[in-house]
């Protein structure tokens, strides 16, 4: 119980910091320079520009039906965490809009620094197993039905559509070009923060609760698990060893699952230089 409480408090702290950094990027660099951050936040900033609607409240309202759809399709911890992070983000956007100055600066600087801060903020949230909702959930739903559309490609298509809508709203074609720079900077920071130099983690778990842990990992983290029979060299007892390959931000979720099911489990975490296969890079 104490571990769960500590994990929950840690999650909230990460979401507050991550959403705060993201909100600073949007309020101070992105929105005042008519650059679109993409996704639902991009739509919210456009509505703010056209009708003076509060960005945070609009973003929250746009996310409600998507979160409900995500809960119906996926359920579980991921959507709950995402709902919490989305609520915090909406709240943070309202705070930063009312307290922080808007910087009208060189557009290249605004796009780069805004993109870096957005990527940093989103990465901090994702490191604790959540997203800020929006098109991420829609992309996952579409990907389930149409496997030939990858999640990354769907998110890219949606961001491109939002950028074009923003350019029309601002009446400035250059806005779309600077938005591309901002989104690229954001994606590069996220790659470095979440995956390193295209690396992942390989986790070995020696446990007496192999079935419970493997089921939870496959259900909650949505990663495959390989189960192997092993023998303890010192005790001579038969055990199960689970092997799982993960993205960096997914490791904390596996720690939590193992702790909930077997406090005596032995865990080894190593670096995976490159990962090819379903859910990672396509095979060469």
């Amino acid at each position: 119980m104490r571990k769960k409480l500590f994990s929950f408090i840690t999650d909230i702290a990460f979401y507050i910091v991550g959403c705060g950094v993201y909100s600073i990027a949007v309020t101070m660099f992105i929105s005042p320079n008519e650059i679109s951050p993409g996704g639902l936040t991009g739509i919210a900033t456009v509505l703010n520009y056209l009708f003076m609607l509060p960005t945070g409240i609009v973003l929250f309202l746009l996310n409600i039906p998507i979160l409900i759809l995500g809960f119906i399709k996926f359920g579980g911890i991921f959507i709950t965490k995402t709902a919490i992070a989305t609520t915090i983000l909406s709240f943070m956007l309202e705070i930063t809009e009312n307290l922080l100055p808007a910087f009208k600066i060189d557009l290249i600087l605004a796009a780069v620094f805004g993109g870096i801060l957005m990527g940093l903020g989103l990465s901090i949230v994702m490191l604790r197993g959540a997203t800020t909702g929006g098109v991420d959930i829609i992309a996952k739903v579409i990907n389930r039905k149409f496997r030939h559309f990858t999640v990354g490609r769907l998110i890219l298509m949606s961001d491109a559509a939002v950028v074009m809508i923003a350019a029309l709203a601002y009446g400035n074609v250059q806005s779309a070009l600077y938005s591309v720079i901002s989104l690229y900077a954001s994606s590069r920071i996220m790659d470095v923060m979440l995956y390193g130099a295209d690396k992942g983690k390989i986790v070995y778990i020696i446990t007496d609760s192999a079935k419970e842990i493997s089921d939870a990992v496959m259900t909650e983290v949505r990663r495959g698990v390989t189960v192997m029979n092993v023998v303890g060299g010192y005790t001579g007892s038969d055990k199960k060893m689970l092997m799982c390959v993960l993205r960096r931000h997914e490791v904390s979720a596996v720690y939590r699952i193992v702790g909930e099911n077997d406090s005596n489990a032995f865990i080894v975490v190593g670096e995976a230089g490159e990962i090819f296969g379903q859910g990672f890079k396509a095979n060469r």
Side-chain angles (χ1 to χ4, degrees):
M1 184 65 184
R2 188 173 297 175
K3 286 184 178 179
K4 287 184 179 180
L5 179 60
F6 178 77
S7 178
F8 177 75
I9 293 172
T10 304
D11 288 344
I12 297 299
F14 268 68
Y15 300 159
I16 291 172
V17 173
C19 291
V21 172
Y22 183 89
S23 300
I24 290 170
V26 173
T27 300
M28 298 183 69
F29 297 100
I30 299 299
S31 184
N33 291 286
E34 299 182 358
I35 298 171
S36 174
L40 288 190
T41 308
I43 295 175
T45 56
V46 167
L47 293 174
N48 172 267
Y49 175 80
L50 293 175
F51 307 111
M52 299 301 292
L53 298 174
T55 305
I57 293 174
V58 171
L59 179 62
F60 180 76
L61 294 174
L62 290 174
N63 266 300
I64 288 175
I66 295 173
L67 289 169
I68 293 172
L69 174 64
F71 189 80
I72 293 170
K73 293 292 184 181
F74 305 113
I77 294 173
F78 167 70
I79 294 299
T80 302
K81 287 187 172 185
T82 295
I84 294 171
T86 301
T87 303
I88 292 173
L89 176 59
S90 300
F91 184 69
M92 285 294 184
L93 281 169
E94 285 300 300
I95 292 176
T96 53
E97 268 192 355
N98 289 291
L99 295 181
L100 297 181
F103 288 161
K104 294 282 286 186
I105 58 176
D106 180 83
L107 292 177
I108 289 289
L109 290 177
V112 172
F113 280 98
I116 289 172
L117 288 175
M118 283 197 304
L120 179 61
L122 290 173
S123 299
I124 293 171
V125 171
M126 289 182 178
L127 283 170
R128 296 301 297 184
T131 71
T132 53
V135 296
D136 295 4
I137 296 173
I138 297 174
K140 287 177 183 291
V141 172
I142 295 174
N143 173 255
R144 272 194 162 189
K145 190 169 184 179
F146 304 99
R147 292 290 182 180
H148 56 287
F149 286 116
T150 64
V151 172
R153 187 178 300 173
L154 288 165
I155 292 174
L156 179 63
M157 290 166 60
S158 66
D159 281 342
V162 171
V163 165
M164 294 309 299
I165 291 170
L168 292 173
Y170 296 140
N172 185 356
V173 176
Q174 287 186 347
S175 168
L177 302 180
Y178 289 113
S179 297
V180 171
I181 295 173
S182 176
L183 291 170
Y184 178 77
S186 176
S187 67
R188 293 305 301 162
I189 292 298
M190 290 175 67
D191 284 345
V192 171
M193 288 285 293
L194 298 176
Y195 313 133
D198 197 36
K199 293 181 179 179
K201 294 286 188 179
I202 183 166
V203 180
Y204 298 97
I205 306 163
I206 300 173
T207 176
D208 292 319
S209 304
K211 181 73 168 71
E212 293 82 357
I213 293 173
S214 61
D215 286 350
V217 170
M218 289 186 286
T219 301
E220 297 178 25
V221 188
R222 300 188 180 278
R223 290 296 182 191
V225 179
T226 300
V227 183
M228 293 169 275
N229 295 315
V230 295
V231 179
Y234 180 73
T235 62
S237 59
D238 294 329
K239 287 184 177 290
K240 299 286 187 182
M241 182 170 75
L242 309 180
M243 184 192 77
C244 187
V245 179
L246 307 164
R247 293 298 191 187
R248 290 176 182 270
H249 67 283
E250 295 167 335
V251 174
S252 61
V254 173
Y255 283 158
R256 175 184 54 77
I257 289 169
V258 174
E260 290 174 354
N261 290 277
D262 184 2
S263 58
N264 295 316
F266 189 77
I267 307 174
V268 178
V269 181
E271 293 284 345
E274 283 189 300
I275 309 169
F276 298 92
Q278 186 175 354
F280 297 94
K281 274 186 176 182
N283 289 318
R284 288 174 175 169

